[in-house]
Amino acid sequence: MAKLTLDDLRKLREEKRQALEIRETDNKTIQVIVGMGTSGIAAGAKRTLNQFMTCIEQYNLTSVSLRQTGSIGLDHAEPVVEVKMPGMPDIIYGRVDPEVAKLIVERHILGKELVNDHVFDRPAPDIVEG
Amino acid sequence: MHAELGDFLSEIVQNAIESGGDVIRVEILQDPEHFEFIVSDNGRGIDRSGIERAMNPFYSDGTKHPGRRVGLGLPFLVQAVQAVEGVFEFESEPGKGTRVRGSFPLAHLDTPPLGDIVFSMVSCLAFPGTFEMYLRRTKIYPNNPKASLDYTIERNELLDALGGLETPGAMALIREYIESQEEEYGQIDLR
């Protein structure tokens, strides 16, 4: 593989964007937020993030943003992932290994169904309010 | 405890991102015997007593996670480095910034595996925020100069080329970009 330049990146992005604009039917944004605090990283959150990246790309889901954040809370259930999308309640999933990440893309984002075994509560109040 | 060297890197880079600074320099160096990273920021820094406290796993300054009193990031790195007789350096000055260096001998049995270093770089660069990051990657193989690498990635240039870094598409392109820099001379990993 030849070394890519920043101009190549620009072109690739442009090609991708044109392909996406044809498919895009609505601009509703779906947010996937992966907790990358100490315990998240220790529990393998980077592999989870990698899987979301690969899987969302594979399904050509154009309106999904993929964000990293510090600890979301629920450290006992790391890796922890929050999914926000129109038409579904905001959900915090726990113990999201790469396999579960794939399930979340296929069932939650594509199928609008919860991945029940991995639904966890909202974060503890001390994390939210300090 | 983290399972891979790339995890320690991510953790220390995240501390730098959260330090309040706007310029972060990351150096990832590798030769046949060592893997090391140096992370420096121009953030708030801490004073001498703060440095001692930061090494204590049962301490946190409470700004990162209000209400919490433990912080395990640095102590994890210290412990891992000590276990393999590596090198750990920490310099910090209030108002000026912080520099952390961790160096691991690759031959030591207890040195964790490298992990997916390319994706670790992707995740560092794509972390949300308005900071500039200069990420320099160096691989030196004295007996095989063709396998050696030295390149620098500037986050703002990526941002300019890709328009945003927080989409799976942008992250996949960053990975492709870094992989192409790594593969120029053939993927040689002596571990």
Side-chain angles (χ1 to χ4, degrees):
Chain A
M1 184 162 70
K3 200 187 280 192
L4 291 178
T5 64
L6 288 164
D7 272 338
D8 295 332
L9 270 191
R10 251 179 225 113
K11 276 178 214 145
L12 285 169
R13 173 203 169 204
E14 209 44 51
E15 279 166 22
K16 209 172 242 188
R17 195 160 59 181
Q18 281 166 1
L20 298 183
E21 269 162 8
I22 299 162
R23 277 189 219 105
E24 211 158 16
T25 49
D26 58 357
N27 288 322
K28 284 172 188 164
T29 319
I30 301 166
Q31 291 181 59
V32 176
I33 304 159
V34 181
M36 297 279 286
T38 306
S39 55
I41 293 173
K46 243 190 293 175
R47 272 187 288 276
T48 302
L49 181 73
N50 198 344
Q51 173 77 324
F52 272 115
M53 179 189 83
T54 310
C55 210
I56 296 167
E57 271 284 279
Q58 269 168 6
Y59 282 106
N60 270 319
L61 297 168
T62 60
S63 49
V64 183
S65 72
L66 181 57
R67 275 175 74 90
Q68 305 171 70
T69 184
S71 172
I72 295 175
L74 297 169
D75 288 6
H76 63 287
E78 295 278 12
V80 174
V81 173
E82 184 165 12
V83 184
K84 298 178 177 186
M85 65 183 281
M88 290 287 277
D90 294 354
I91 293 292
I92 293 175
Y93 284 110
R95 302 208 176 94
V96 184
D97 61 16
E99 213 168 295
V100 177
K102 190 162 182 275
L103 278 183
I104 290 174
V105 173
E106 289 170 351
R107 281 205 208 145
H108 186 119
I109 297 179
L110 288 168
K112 296 206 169 181
E113 245 177 63
L114 299 181
V115 183
N116 286 328
D117 296 345
H118 292 270
V119 174
F120 278 73
D121 207 349
R122 304 291 306 177
D126 69 329
I127 304 284
V128 177
E129 288 160 18
Chain B
M1 181 59 96
H2 296 321
E4 297 171 345
L5 293 177
D7 293 344
F8 291 98
L9 171 70
S10 301
E11 172 97 46
I12 299 304
V13 170
Q14 215 185 101
N15 281 351
I17 292 169
E18 290 170 357
S19 72
D22 55 8
V23 179
I24 294 157
R25 287 174 200 281
V26 182
E27 286 181 61
I28 304 169
L29 305 106
Q30 205 173 328
D31 65 26
E33 274 104 46
H34 307 93
F35 174 85
E36 100 170 41
F37 56 79
I38 301 168
V39 179
S40 44
D41 65 66
N42 62 346
R44 65 182 77 86
I46 50 175
D47 60 19
R48 188 163 286 275
S49 64
I51 293 175
E52 279 164 31
R53 288 198 302 270
M55 303 302 160
N56 175 355
F58 301 105
Y59 169 80
S60 167
D61 66 5
T63 53
K64 198 164 158 185
H65 303 293
R68 259 203 229 182
R69 291 179 185 278
V70 293
L72 292 171
L74 275 173
F76 266 12
L77 177 61
V78 175
Q79 192 189 349
V81 165
Q82 282 172 350
V84 298
E85 292 162 351
V87 179
F88 172 79
E89 289 171 7
F90 187 96
E91 293 158 27
S92 192
E93 206 176 317
K96 294 232 167 124
T98 301
R99 175 185 178 275
V100 181
R101 173 175 173 230
S103 179
F104 294 82
L106 291 173
H108 197 290
L109 277 178
D110 290 328
T111 294
L114 285 174
D116 185 346
I117 293 296
V118 169
F119 191 70
S120 295
M121 290 193 256
V122 174
S123 117
C124 290
L125 288 160
F127 206 91
T130 52
F131 55 90
E132 172 61 302
M133 180 181 285
Y134 299 94
L135 197 159
R136 182 175 179 195
R137 163 81 155 150
T138 316
K139 263 186 177 180
I140 302 162
Y141 294 111
N143 297 329
N144 190 356
K146 283 193 168 174
S148 300
L149 291 173
D150 187 353
Y151 62 88
T152 301
I153 296 173
E154 294 183 25
R155 186 175 185 268
N156 278 346
E157 285 184 351
L158 283 181
L159 201 56
D160 179 52
L162 297 171
L165 306 175
E166 291 167 23
T167 63
M171 288 169 69
L173 285 176
I174 301 173
R175 181 161 74 179
E176 212 176 301
Y177 180 67
I178 298 178
E179 274 171 354
S180 81
Q181 314 296 320
E182 294 274 316
E183 281 175 11
E184 174 75 351
Y185 302 99
Q187 190 85 2
I188 294 184
D189 204 330
L190 298 186
R191 284 207 81 198

